[in-house]
Structure formats: C-alpha cells, structure tokens
C-alpha cells in the first residue's frame, strides 16, 4: 500500500512564524514573575507545529513543552490547550528575565550569549501523514509575552510503496552534516543562523502504523 511519511532534517534556512499580538493580553510583567507564580507566554505559528490535521493544518497539542531560557536558569512552560495554531504556555520564571524559547524542551542543552546549543535527533520516526514532533525543532527570541518561533529544520515527505521497510537512511550527497548537535545564533532581527551539525545522516524508523 502506498503511504506518505514526513520526517525532518536540518536546513540552514529557517522558516519564520509570527505571534498574533492582536489576539493576546499583555500578561508578562517586566522582569518575569515571583517564584511560585504562574507566568503566561504566547506562541503561535502560521501553519507548522506538532499535530497534523486532516486538512493539513497543524495545531499545538495540550501539554507541549517549551524550554524558556532566562538570564539565570531554564524553565519549563506547558501549553494550556491544544487544537489551535496559537496557544498560551504557562510556567514559573522565579523572577528570572525570559530571553529565548526552544521547542521541544528536551532539544535545548545550553546557552552562550545569544548562541543556543540544540540537539537535532538523527534517529527519527516516519509517521503516516504526520511527522516526528521531537525532531521539529524551533527557536525564538522572547518579546514581552510573545515569542516568534523559527524552525531550524525542513520537512520532507516521501512515498513508501511497500510495508516491509525496516528503516530509511538519509544523507547529504556532498557529505554535509544534517543533524546532531548544532549551534543556533539568534540575532536581534532576522532568521536564526545554524552551524556546527555533527551527524552526516538521519535514520528514519517506521512508527508501526
């Protein structure tokens, strides 16, 4: 049976998505919140994120987690409600000043100024009419209570004409690195700059569907 699978690989060209400022309230105070108080951060996308719908639109899912990187620590923010292209995320900043956000949370490793170290998994799962959200890595600079997220990977779809494929390995014909540990520089304006990938291939495993 012919099916379609989507997977993500690293690309140097980021796709930019904007927060809808006219749809949200200004709930994030200057300098963050006191410890134990919940802070709200808003993130939205034009057409790309974790759950693919039947009409090919893509929504946040309840429970999606962002790593919110502050001046002094990293904080976990969770999507309050899925089913839409925009969602409010809540977490505790503990009086920290939020600087950047990374999705998914576990892909972030460390920060050096405006450079974020990110892990793009080279082992991914090919989903029927979907993609591995753990590999759909995106980053953004926080502005007030809104974050503009940029994808640092590209989605690629390919057909499978048989159900007995154990795995698919993807590599760059020129030998370029396409996954693994990368450095992402986030400028004050413009797209993030990705460099320093460590893996020259992505291994795709079927999800069992």
């Amino acid at each position: 049976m012919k099916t379609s699978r989507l997977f993500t690989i690293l690309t140097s060209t980021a796709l930019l998505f904007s927060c809808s400022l006219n749809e949200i309230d200004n709930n994030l105070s200057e300098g963050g919140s006191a410890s134990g108080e919940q802070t709200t951060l808003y993130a939205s996308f034009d057409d790309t994120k974790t759950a693919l719908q039947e009409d090919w639109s893509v929504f946040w899912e309840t429970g999606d987690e962002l790593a919110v990187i502050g001046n002094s620590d990293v904080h976990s923010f969770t999507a309050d409600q899925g089913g839409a292209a925009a969602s409010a995320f809540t977490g505790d900043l503990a009086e920290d000043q939020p600087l950047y956000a990374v999705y998914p949370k576990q892909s972030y490793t460390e920060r050096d100024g405006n450079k974020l170290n990110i892990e793009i998994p080279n082992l991914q799962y090919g989903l029927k009419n979907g993609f591995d959200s753990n590999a759909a890595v995106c980053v953004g600079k926080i502005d007030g209570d809104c974050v503009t997220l940029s994808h640092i990977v590209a989605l690629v779809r390919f057909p499978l004409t048989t159900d007995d494929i154990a795995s698919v390995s993807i590599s760059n014909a020129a030998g370029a690195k396409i996954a693994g540990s990368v450095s992402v520089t986030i400028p004050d304006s413009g797209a993030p700059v990705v460099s320093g990938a460590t893996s020259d291939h992505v291994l795709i495993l079927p999800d069992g569907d």
Side-chain angles (χ1 to χ4, degrees):
M1 181 178 64
K2 186 175 182 179
T3 59
S4 293
R5 304 272 176 177
L6 287 175
F7 63 93
T8 57
I9 60 174
L10 177 66
T11 176
S12 59
T13 303
L15 304 176
L16 300 181
F17 301 91
S18 301
C19 209
S20 300
L21 292 174
N22 60 338
E23 297 178 357
I24 61 179
D25 298 321
N26 186 19
N27 292 328
L28 184 61
S29 60
E30 191 91 19
S33 65
S35 180
E37 295 181 359
Q38 293 295 293
T39 297
T40 301
L41 179 68
Y42 298 89
S44 68
F45 298 80
D46 288 340
D47 57 8
T48 304
K49 243 301 287 122
T50 64
L52 192 64
Q53 310 302 302
E54 290 184 359
D55 63 357
W56 294 93
S57 61
V58 191
F59 292 163
W60 288 103
E61 292 185 307
T62 302
D64 277 343
E65 290 185 283
L66 297 175
V68 174
I69 298 97
N71 271 323
S72 59
D73 209 346
V74 182
H75 312 273
S76 178
F77 274 58
T78 304
D80 299 334
Q81 187 174 0
S87 181
F89 288 74
T90 56
D92 179 12
L93 283 172
E95 299 185 346
D96 200 2
Q97 177 63 43
L99 301 175
Y100 307 103
V102 176
Y103 177 86
K105 181 185 71 174
Q106 66 270 20
S107 65
Y108 170 77
T109 57
E110 61 181 347
R111 176 177 73 92
D112 180 12
N114 68 336
K115 293 183 179 181
L116 306 181
N117 290 339
I118 304 292
E119 189 72 23
I120 308 291
N122 63 353
L123 176 61
Q124 303 175 17
Y125 290 91
L127 307 180
K128 181 180 179 181
N129 297 323
F131 56 89
D132 187 349
S133 61
N134 289 324
V137 181
C138 49
V139 302
K141 181 179 175 65
I142 295 173
D143 182 12
D145 60 356
C146 181
V147 59
T148 299
L149 291 168
S150 302
H151 279 264
I152 61 170
V153 296
L155 290 176
V156 178
R157 180 174 11 156
F158 60 92
L160 297 180
T161 57
T162 179
D163 291 329
D164 58 357
I165 295 177
S167 64
V168 176
S169 182
I170 306 297
S171 60
N172 184 285
K177 308 295 186 181
I178 61 173
S181 298
V182 302
S183 176
V184 182
T185 301
I186 304 180
D188 290 335
S189 61
V193 178
V194 181
S195 61
T198 58
S199 178
D200 60 4
H201 73 282
V202 171
L203 182 64
I204 312 299
L205 300 179
D207 65 341
D209 292 338

Coordinates of all heavy atoms in Angstrom, one line a residue, residues 37-116:
E37 N 4.6 31.9 41.2 CA 3.6 32.5 40.4 C 3.7 32.0 39.0 O 4.7 32.0 38.4 CB 3.6 34.0 40.5 CG 3.4 34.6 41.9 CD 3.5 36.1 41.9 OE1 3.7 36.7 40.8 OE2 3.3 36.7 43.0
Q38 N 2.5 31.7 38.4 CA 2.5 31.3 37.0 C 2.5 32.5 36.1 O 1.8 33.5 36.2 CB 1.2 30.5 36.8 CG 1.2 29.1 37.5 CD 2.3 28.2 37.1 OE1 2.3 27.7 35.9 NE2 3.2 27.9 37.9
T39 N 3.4 32.4 35.1 CA 3.5 33.4 34.0 C 3.0 32.8 32.7 O 3.2 31.6 32.4 CB 5.0 33.8 33.9 OG1 5.4 34.4 35.1 CG2 5.2 34.8 32.7
T40 N 2.3 33.6 31.9 CA 1.8 33.2 30.6 C 2.7 33.7 29.5 O 3.0 34.9 29.4 CB 0.4 33.7 30.4 OG1 -0.4 33.2 31.5 CG2 -0.2 33.2 29.1
L41 N 3.0 32.8 28.6 CA 3.8 33.2 27.4 C 3.0 32.7 26.2 O 2.5 31.5 26.2 CB 5.1 32.5 27.4 CG 6.1 32.7 26.2 CD1 6.5 34.2 26.2 CD2 7.3 31.8 26.4
Y42 N 2.9 33.5 25.1 CA 2.1 33.1 23.9 C 3.0 32.7 22.8 O 3.9 33.5 22.4 CB 1.1 34.2 23.6 CG 0.1 34.5 24.7 CD1 0.4 35.5 25.6 CD2 -1.1 33.9 24.7 CE1 -0.5 35.8 26.7 CE2 -2.0 34.2 25.7 CZ -1.7 35.1 26.7 OH -2.6 35.4 27.7
A43 N 2.7 31.6 22.1 CA 3.4 31.2 20.9 C 2.4 30.8 19.8 O 1.4 30.1 20.1 CB 4.4 30.0 21.2
S44 N 2.7 31.2 18.6 CA 1.8 30.8 17.5 C 2.6 30.6 16.2 O 3.7 31.0 16.1 CB 0.7 31.9 17.3 OG 1.3 33.1 16.8
F45 N 2.0 29.9 15.3 CA 2.6 29.5 14.0 C 1.6 29.7 12.9 O 0.4 29.6 13.1 CB 3.0 28.0 14.0 CG 4.0 27.7 15.0 CD1 3.7 27.5 16.4 CD2 5.4 27.6 14.7 CE1 4.6 27.2 17.3 CE2 6.3 27.3 15.6 CZ 6.0 27.1 16.9
D46 N 2.0 30.0 11.7 CA 1.2 30.2 10.6 C 0.6 28.8 10.2 O -0.6 28.7 10.0 CB 1.9 30.8 9.4 CG 2.2 32.2 9.6 OD1 1.5 32.8 10.5 OD2 3.1 32.8 9.0
D47 N 1.4 27.8 10.0 CA 0.9 26.5 9.5 C 1.8 25.3 9.9 O 1.6 24.3 9.3 CB 0.7 26.6 8.0 CG 2.0 26.9 7.3 OD1 3.1 27.0 7.9 OD2 1.9 27.1 6.1
T48 N 2.7 25.5 10.9 CA 3.6 24.3 11.2 C 3.7 24.2 12.7 O 4.1 25.1 13.3 CB 5.0 24.6 10.5 OG1 4.8 24.8 9.1 CG2 5.9 23.4 10.8
K49 N 3.4 23.0 13.2 CA 3.7 22.5 14.5 C 3.4 21.1 14.7 O 3.5 20.3 13.8 CB 3.1 23.5 15.6 CG 4.2 24.2 16.4 CD 5.1 23.2 17.2 CE 4.4 22.6 18.3 NZ 4.4 21.2 18.2
T50 N 3.0 20.7 16.0 CA 3.1 19.3 16.3 C 2.1 18.4 15.9 O 2.3 17.2 15.7 CB 3.3 19.2 17.8 OG1 2.1 19.6 18.5 CG2 4.4 20.0 18.4
A51 N 0.8 18.8 15.7 CA -0.3 17.8 15.3 C -0.8 18.2 14.0 O -1.4 19.3 13.8 CB -1.4 17.9 16.4
L52 N -0.7 17.2 13.1 CA -1.2 17.5 11.7 C -2.7 17.1 11.6 O -3.1 16.0 12.0 CB -0.4 16.6 10.7 CG -0.5 16.9 9.2 CD1 0.0 18.3 8.9 CD2 0.3 15.9 8.4
Q53 N -3.5 18.0 11.1 CA -4.9 17.7 11.0 C -5.3 17.1 9.6 O -4.4 17.1 8.7 CB -5.7 19.0 11.2 CG -5.3 19.8 12.4 CD -5.5 19.0 13.7 OE1 -6.6 18.5 14.0 NE2 -4.4 18.8 14.4
E54 N -6.5 16.7 9.4 CA -6.9 16.1 8.2 C -6.8 17.0 7.0 O -6.6 16.6 5.9 CB -8.4 15.5 8.3 CG -8.5 14.3 9.2 CD -9.9 13.8 9.3 OE1 -10.8 14.3 8.6 OE2 -10.1 12.8 10.0
D55 N -7.0 18.3 7.3 CA -6.9 19.3 6.2 C -5.5 19.9 6.0 O -5.3 20.9 5.3 CB -7.9 20.5 6.4 CG -7.6 21.3 7.7 OD1 -6.6 20.9 8.4 OD2 -8.3 22.3 8.0
W56 N -4.5 19.2 6.6 CA -3.1 19.5 6.6 C -2.7 20.8 7.3 O -1.6 21.2 7.3 CB -2.6 19.6 5.1 CG -2.7 18.3 4.4 CD1 -3.7 17.9 3.7 CD2 -1.8 17.3 4.4 NE1 -3.5 16.6 3.2 CE2 -2.3 16.2 3.7 CE3 -0.5 17.1 5.0 CZ2 -1.6 15.0 3.5 CZ3 0.2 15.9 4.9 CH2 -0.4 14.9 4.1
S57 N -3.7 21.4 8.1 CA -3.3 22.4 9.0 C -2.6 21.7 10.2 O -2.8 20.6 10.5 CB -4.5 23.2 9.5 OG -5.5 22.4 10.1
V58 N -1.9 22.5 11.0 CA -1.1 21.9 12.1 C -1.3 22.7 13.4 O -1.3 24.0 13.3 CB 0.4 22.0 11.8 CG1 1.2 21.1 12.8 CG2 0.7 21.4 10.4
F59 N -1.6 22.0 14.4 CA -2.0 22.7 15.7 C -1.0 22.3 16.8 O -0.4 21.3 16.8 CB -3.4 22.3 16.1 CG -4.5 22.8 15.2 CD1 -5.8 22.2 15.3 CD2 -4.3 23.8 14.4 CE1 -6.8 22.6 14.5 CE2 -5.3 24.3 13.6 CZ -6.6 23.7 13.6
W60 N -1.0 23.2 17.8 CA -0.3 22.8 19.1 C -1.2 21.7 19.7 O -2.4 21.6 19.5 CB -0.3 24.0 20.0 CG 0.7 25.1 19.7 CD1 0.4 26.3 19.1 CD2 2.1 25.0 19.9 NE1 1.6 27.0 19.0 CE2 2.6 26.3 19.4 CE3 3.0 24.1 20.4 CZ2 4.0 26.6 19.5 CZ3 4.4 24.4 20.5 CH2 4.8 25.6 20.0
E61 N -0.5 20.9 20.6 CA -1.2 19.9 21.4 C -1.1 20.3 22.9 O -0.1 20.8 23.3 CB -0.6 18.5 21.1 CG -0.9 18.0 19.7 CD -0.4 16.6 19.6 OE1 0.8 16.3 19.9 OE2 -1.2 15.7 19.2
T62 N -2.2 20.0 23.6 CA -2.2 20.2 25.0 C -1.0 19.5 25.7 O -0.8 18.3 25.4 CB -3.5 19.8 25.7 OG1 -4.6 20.5 25.1 CG2 -3.5 20.1 27.2
G63 N -0.2 20.2 26.5 CA 0.9 19.5 27.1 C 2.2 19.7 26.4 O 3.3 19.3 26.9
D64 N 2.2 20.3 25.2 CA 3.5 20.6 24.5 C 4.3 21.5 25.5 O 3.8 22.3 26.2 CB 3.2 21.4 23.2 CG 2.9 20.5 22.1 OD1 3.2 19.3 22.1 OD2 2.4 21.0 21.0
E65 N 5.7 21.2 25.5 CA 6.5 21.9 26.4 C 7.6 22.8 25.7 O 8.3 22.3 24.8 CB 7.2 21.0 27.4 CG 6.2 20.3 28.4 CD 6.9 19.5 29.4 OE1 7.3 18.3 29.0 OE2 7.1 19.9 30.5
L66 N 7.8 24.0 26.1 CA 8.9 24.9 25.7 C 9.9 24.9 26.8 O 9.6 25.0 28.0 CB 8.3 26.3 25.4 CG 7.3 26.5 24.4 CD1 6.9 28.0 24.4 CD2 7.9 26.2 23.0
A67 N 11.2 25.0 26.4 CA 12.3 25.4 27.3 C 12.4 26.9 27.2 O 12.7 27.4 26.1 CB 13.6 24.7 26.9
V68 N 12.1 27.6 28.3 CA 12.2 29.1 28.3 C 13.5 29.4 29.0 O 13.7 29.1 30.2 CB 11.0 29.7 29.0 CG1 11.2 31.2 29.2 CG2 9.7 29.4 28.2
I69 N 14.4 30.0 28.2 CA 15.8 30.2 28.7 C 15.8 31.7 29.2 O 15.6 32.6 28.5 CB 16.8 30.0 27.6 CG1 16.8 28.6 27.1 CG2 18.2 30.4 28.1 CD1 16.0 28.3 25.9
G70 N 16.2 31.8 30.5 CA 16.3 33.1 31.1 C 17.7 33.5 31.4 O 18.7 32.8 31.0
N71 N 17.9 34.6 32.0 CA 19.3 35.1 32.3 C 20.0 34.1 33.2 O 21.3 34.0 33.1 CB 19.2 36.5 33.0 CG 19.2 37.6 32.0 OD1 19.9 37.6 31.0 ND2 18.5 38.6 32.3
S72 N 19.3 33.5 34.2 CA 20.0 32.7 35.2 C 19.6 31.2 35.2 O 20.3 30.4 35.8 CB 19.7 33.2 36.6 OG 18.3 33.3 36.8
D73 N 18.5 30.8 34.4 CA 18.1 29.4 34.5 C 17.2 29.1 33.3 O 16.9 29.9 32.5 CB 17.3 29.2 35.8 CG 17.4 27.8 36.3 OD1 17.8 26.9 35.6 OD2 17.0 27.5 37.5
V74 N 16.8 27.8 33.2 CA 16.0 27.3 32.2 C 14.6 26.9 32.9 O 14.7 26.2 33.9 CB 16.6 26.1 31.4 CG1 15.7 25.6 30.3 CG2 17.9 26.5 30.9
H75 N 13.5 27.2 32.2 CA 12.2 27.0 32.8 C 11.3 26.2 31.9 O 11.4 26.4 30.6 CB 11.5 28.3 33.2 CG 12.5 29.2 33.9 ND1 12.6 29.2 35.3 CD2 13.3 30.2 33.5 CE1 13.5 30.1 35.7 NE2 13.9 30.8 34.6
S76 N 10.5 25.4 32.4 CA 9.6 24.6 31.6 C 8.2 25.3 31.5 O 7.6 25.5 32.5 CB 9.4 23.2 32.2 OG 8.5 22.4 31.4
F77 N 7.7 25.5 30.3 CA 6.4 26.1 30.1 C 5.6 25.1 29.3 O 6.0 24.5 28.3 CB 6.5 27.4 29.3 CG 6.7 28.6 30.2 CD1 7.9 28.7 31.0 CD2 5.9 29.7 30.2 CE1 8.1 29.8 31.9 CE2 6.1 30.8 31.0 CZ 7.2 30.8 31.8
T78 N 4.3 24.9 29.7 CA 3.4 23.9 29.1 C 2.2 24.5 28.4 O 1.6 25.5 29.0 CB 3.0 23.0 30.2 OG1 4.1 22.4 30.9 CG2 2.1 21.8 29.6
A79 N 1.9 24.0 27.3 CA 0.7 24.5 26.5 C -0.6 24.2 27.3 O -0.8 23.0 27.7 CB 0.6 23.9 25.1
D80 N -1.4 25.2 27.6 CA -2.6 25.0 28.3 C -3.7 24.3 27.6 O -4.4 23.5 28.1 CB -3.2 26.4 28.8 CG -2.2 27.2 29.6 OD1 -1.3 26.5 30.3 OD2 -2.2 28.4 29.7
Q81 N -3.7 24.5 26.3 CA -4.8 23.9 25.5 C -4.3 23.8 24.0 O -3.7 24.7 23.5 CB -6.1 24.8 25.5 CG -7.3 24.2 24.9 CD -8.5 25.0 25.1 OE1 -8.5 26.1 25.7 NE2 -9.6 24.6 24.6
G82 N -4.6 22.6 23.5 CA -4.3 22.4 22.1 C -5.5 22.6 21.1 O -6.4 23.3 21.5
G83 N -5.3 22.2 19.9 CA -6.4 22.3 19.0 C -6.4 23.6 18.2 O -7.4 24.0 17.6
A84 N -5.3 24.4 18.3 CA -5.3 25.7 17.6 C -3.8 26.0 17.2 O -2.9 25.4 17.7 CB -5.9 26.8 18.4
A85 N -3.7 26.9 16.2 CA -2.3 27.3 15.8 C -1.6 28.2 16.8 O -0.4 28.4 16.7 CB -2.4 27.9 14.4
A86 N -2.4 28.8 17.7 CA -1.8 29.6 18.8 C -2.2 29.0 20.1 O -3.3 28.5 20.3 CB -2.3 31.0 18.6
S87 N -1.3 29.1 21.1 CA -1.6 28.6 22.4 C -0.8 29.4 23.5 O 0.2 30.0 23.2 CB -1.1 27.1 22.5 OG -1.4 26.6 23.8
A88 N -1.5 29.5 24.7 CA -0.8 30.1 25.8 C 0.0 29.0 26.5 O -0.5 27.9 26.7 CB -1.9 30.7 26.8
F89 N 1.2 29.3 26.9 CA 2.0 28.4 27.7 C 2.2 29.0 29.1 O 2.4 30.2 29.2 CB 3.4 28.2 27.0 CG 3.4 27.4 25.8 CD1 2.8 27.9 24.6 CD2 3.9 26.1 25.8 CE1 2.8 27.1 23.5 CE2 3.9 25.3 24.6 CZ 3.3 25.8 23.5
T90 N 2.2 28.2 30.1 CA 2.4 28.7 31.5 C 3.5 28.0 32.2 O 3.8 26.8 31.9 CB 1.1 28.5 32.3 OG1 0.7 27.1 32.4 CG2 -0.1 29.4 31.8
G91 N 4.2 28.8 33.1 CA 5.3 28.2 33.8 C 5.7 29.2 34.9 O 5.1 30.3 35.0
D92 N 6.7 28.9 35.7 CA 7.2 29.7 36.8 C 8.6 30.2 36.4 O 9.5 29.5 36.2 CB 7.3 28.9 38.0 CG 7.8 29.7 39.2 OD1 7.9 30.9 39.1 OD2 8.1 29.1 40.3
L93 N 8.7 31.6 36.3 CA 10.0 32.2 35.9 C 10.9 32.4 37.1 O 12.1 32.7 37.0 CB 9.8 33.5 35.2 CG 9.4 33.4 33.7 CD1 9.0 34.7 33.2 CD2 10.4 32.7 32.9
A94 N 10.4 32.4 38.3 CA 11.2 32.5 39.6 C 12.0 33.8 39.5 O 13.2 33.9 39.8 CB 12.1 31.3 39.8
E95 N 11.3 34.9 39.1 CA 11.9 36.3 39.0 C 13.0 36.4 37.9 O 13.8 37.3 37.9 CB 12.5 36.7 40.4 CG 11.4 36.8 41.4 CD 11.9 37.4 42.7 OE1 13.1 37.4 42.9 OE2 11.1 37.8 43.6
D96 N 13.1 35.4 37.1 CA 14.1 35.4 36.0 C 13.6 36.2 34.8 O 12.4 36.3 34.6 CB 14.4 34.0 35.6 CG 15.8 33.9 34.8 OD1 16.4 34.9 34.7 OD2 16.1 32.7 34.4
Q97 N 14.5 36.8 34.0 CA 14.1 37.5 32.8 C 14.1 36.6 31.6 O 15.2 36.1 31.3 CB 15.0 38.7 32.6 CG 14.7 39.5 31.3 CD 13.3 40.1 31.3 OE1 12.9 40.7 32.3 NE2 12.6 40.0 30.2
P98 N 13.0 36.3 31.0 CA 13.0 35.3 29.9 C 13.7 35.9 28.6 O 13.4 37.1 28.3 CB 11.5 35.0 29.6 CG 10.8 36.3 30.1 CD 11.6 36.8 31.3
L99 N 14.5 35.1 28.0 CA 15.2 35.6 26.8 C 14.8 34.9 25.5 O 14.5 35.5 24.5 CB 16.7 35.5 27.0 CG 17.3 36.2 28.2 CD1 18.8 35.8 28.4 CD2 17.1 37.7 28.1
Y100 N 14.9 33.5 25.6 CA 14.6 32.7 24.4 C 13.7 31.5 24.7 O 13.6 31.1 25.9 CB 16.0 32.2 23.8 CG 17.0 33.2 23.6 CD1 18.1 33.4 24.5 CD2 16.9 34.1 22.5 CE1 19.0 34.4 24.3 CE2 17.8 35.0 22.3 CZ 18.9 35.2 23.2 OH 19.8 36.2 22.9
A101 N 13.1 30.9 23.7 CA 12.3 29.7 23.9 C 12.7 28.7 22.8 O 13.1 29.1 21.7 CB 10.8 30.1 23.7
V102 N 12.7 27.4 23.2 CA 13.0 26.3 22.3 C 12.0 25.3 22.4 O 11.5 24.9 23.5 CB 14.4 25.7 22.7 CG1 14.7 24.5 21.9 CG2 15.5 26.7 22.6
Y103 N 11.6 24.7 21.3 CA 10.7 23.6 21.2 C 11.4 22.5 20.4 O 11.9 22.8 19.3 CB 9.3 23.9 20.6 CG 8.5 22.7 20.5 CD1 7.7 22.3 21.5 CD2 8.5 21.9 19.3 CE1 6.9 21.1 21.4 CE2 7.8 20.7 19.2 CZ 7.0 20.3 20.3 OH 6.3 19.2 20.2
P104 N 11.2 21.2 20.8 CA 10.7 20.7 22.0 C 11.7 21.0 23.2 O 12.9 21.2 22.9 CB 10.5 19.2 21.8 CG 11.5 18.9 20.7 CD 11.7 20.1 19.9
K105 N 11.2 21.0 24.4 CA 12.0 21.3 25.5 C 13.4 20.6 25.6 O 14.4 21.1 25.9 CB 11.2 21.1 26.8 CG 11.9 21.5 28.1 CD 11.1 21.2 29.3 CE 11.1 19.7 29.5 NZ 10.4 19.3 30.8
Q106 N 13.3 19.3 25.3 CA 14.5 18.4 25.5 C 15.6 18.6 24.5 O 16.7 18.1 24.7 CB 14.0 16.9 25.6 CG 13.5 16.4 24.2 CD 12.0 16.5 24.1 OE1 11.4 17.3 24.8 NE2 11.4 15.8 23.2
S107 N 15.3 19.4 23.5 CA 16.3 19.6 22.4 C 17.3 20.6 22.8 O 18.4 20.7 22.3 CB 15.7 20.0 21.1 OG 15.0 21.2 21.2
Y108 N 17.0 21.5 23.8 CA 17.9 22.5 24.3 C 18.9 21.9 25.3 O 18.6 21.1 26.1 CB 17.1 23.6 25.0 CG 18.0 24.6 25.7 CD1 18.7 25.6 25.0 CD2 18.2 24.5 27.1 CE1 19.5 26.5 25.7 CE2 19.0 25.4 27.8 CZ 19.7 26.4 27.1 OH 20.5 27.3 27.7
T109 N 20.2 22.3 25.1 CA 21.3 21.8 26.0 C 21.9 23.0 26.8 O 22.0 22.9 28.0 CB 22.3 21.1 25.2 OG1 22.9 21.9 24.2 CG2 21.7 19.8 24.6
E110 N 22.4 24.1 26.1 CA 23.0 25.2 26.9 C 23.0 26.4 26.1 O 22.7 26.4 24.9 CB 24.4 24.8 27.3 CG 25.3 24.5 26.2 CD 26.7 24.1 26.7 OE1 27.0 24.3 27.9 OE2 27.5 23.6 25.9
R111 N 23.3 27.6 26.7 CA 23.4 28.9 26.1 C 24.7 29.6 26.4 O 25.3 29.5 27.4 CB 22.2 29.8 26.6 CG 22.3 31.2 26.0 CD 21.1 32.0 26.6 NE 21.2 32.4 27.9 CZ 21.7 33.5 28.4 NH1 22.2 34.4 27.5 NH2 21.8 33.8 29.7
D112 N 25.2 30.3 25.3 CA 26.4 31.1 25.5 C 26.0 32.4 24.8 O 26.1 32.6 23.6 CB 27.6 30.5 24.8 CG 28.8 31.3 24.9 OD1 28.8 32.3 25.7 OD2 29.8 31.0 24.2
G113 N 25.6 33.4 25.6 CA 25.1 34.7 25.0 C 23.9 34.5 24.2 O 22.9 33.9 24.7
N114 N 23.9 34.9 22.9 CA 22.7 34.6 22.0 C 22.9 33.4 21.2 O 22.2 33.2 20.2 CB 22.5 35.8 21.1 CG 23.6 36.0 20.1 OD1 24.8 35.6 20.3 ND2 23.3 36.7 19.0
K115 N 23.8 32.5 21.6 CA 24.0 31.2 20.9 C 23.4 30.1 21.7 O 23.7 30.0 22.9 CB 25.5 30.9 20.6 CG 26.1 31.9 19.6 CD 27.5 31.5 19.3 CE 28.2 32.4 18.3 NZ 29.6 32.1 18.0
L116 N 22.6 29.3 21.1 CA 21.9 28.2 21.8 C 22.5 26.9 21.3 O 22.6 26.7 20.0 CB 20.4 28.2 21.7 CG 19.7 29.5 22.1 CD1 18.2 29.4 21.8 CD2 20.0 29.9 23.5

